Amino acid sequence: MNTTEQEIEMEQLLRQADAIADDIVTMEMTDVAGAYDRLQERCHQSRRHVVLGRLMRYAAILALPLLLSTMVLAYLHFTSSQADIRFAEVKALDGTVVRFELPDSSVVWLNAGSQLRYPISFDGDKREVALQGEGYFEVKANREHPFYVHTPSGMSVYVYGTHFNVQAYDDSECIETSLEEGRLNVILPNKGQQLTLRPGEYVSYNKLTCQAMKSTTDVEVKTAWRKGELIFRNATLDEVFKALSRRFNVDISYRNHTNRDDRYRATFHDETLPQILDYLSKSTVLTWKYEPYHSSSTANKGQRKVLIDLY
């Protein structure tokens, strides 16, 4: 090999040595340990994201049946609580007065021709009953569960514990509520207006005019029927005969041949129907008679019909 070739080969070796030296310097400047740590951290983070994502998916999968079961149980509880409510009815036939106790130990008297519908157990926030006719209530005190009496006309009363009377016969023009003791709230139909009664007060609601009148009253007179008494104070003959019809289980046909609207004041205890009618006929021109029992015009089977004429 001549001198020129040797110089060329030596020059190539020197350039390779310089390149290797540069690579060594670059490698020495590189933070291999730090890069390794960062790589490890990224791997851990990636692994955590993967695990977390899987856990969230698993949680969602597990929570879905739980959510569905909760919704189903809530629905079943609501519907069953509504469907499971069972009601009872108590009736007082014409000519009778019935006394009984409600599930909360409240006591109710039903006047003749009345009925009360109530749940066999008071499980809700309210104790609610529905009355047709007349009832006297001795409500067991419970501040957490008010006691409601609903009538067909839409008028309701509610108390927390007290004694009161409600008269709501279908054939009566007015609904009356009188309070003996405690405090009573009256909810009027349609308007939602409320009135508060104190002992010795009553409300009369006219179903035709939708007007209510609040006044004082003799509660003993309003509730005398519980003791088998009939007390009339400034009563019309229509009112008297309706009460007699229920008390004695008769169908009274009353014909007024005058334009008078006489008012009557009387108290009856153990008198029979003929005795009462004879008494009334002494103060006015009034005649009465029983229609034959077998007559086809008898309103209800088992009822006698009484024909009364006022002249």
Side-chain angles (χ1 to χ4, degrees), residues 125-146:
D125 296 334
K126 304 175 183 177
R127 296 172 289 169
E128 298 182 275
V129 301
L131 172 70
Q132 286 182 293
E134 185 169 18
Y136 177 86
F137 297 84
E138 291 184 357
V139 176
K140 191 84 170 179
N142 188 331
R143 297 294 302 177
E144 302 298 324
H145 299 84

Side-chain angles (χ1 to χ4, degrees), residues 245-273:
S245 176
R246 288 189 286 264
R247 170 71 176 270
F248 295 101
N249 190 24
V250 294
D251 176 25
I252 294 179
S253 177
Y254 168 55
R255 294 176 294 187
N256 186 349
H257 301 282
T258 73
N259 293 323
R260 301 196 312 271
D261 185 20
D262 297 334
R263 301 278 172 163
Y264 290 82
R265 179 184 179 90
T267 300
F268 302 106
H269 298 278
D270 301 322
E271 291 85 351
T272 64
L273 178 61

Side-chain angles (χ1 to χ4, degrees), residues 268-285:
F268 302 106
H269 298 278
D270 301 322
E271 291 85 351
T272 64
L273 178 61
Q275 288 174 330
I276 294 175
L277 293 178
D278 285 342
Y279 171 82
L280 294 175
S281 64
K282 292 178 181 179
S283 59
T284 187
V285 183

Side-chain angles (χ1 to χ4, degrees), residues 1 13 48 57 80 88 96 120 175 198 203-204 216 221:
M1 177 181 301
L13 290 173
R48 281 198 298 268
R57 286 197 295 272
S80 62
T96 66
I120 62 173
I175 301 174
R198 301 193 180 278
V203 167
S204 177
T216 57
V221 172

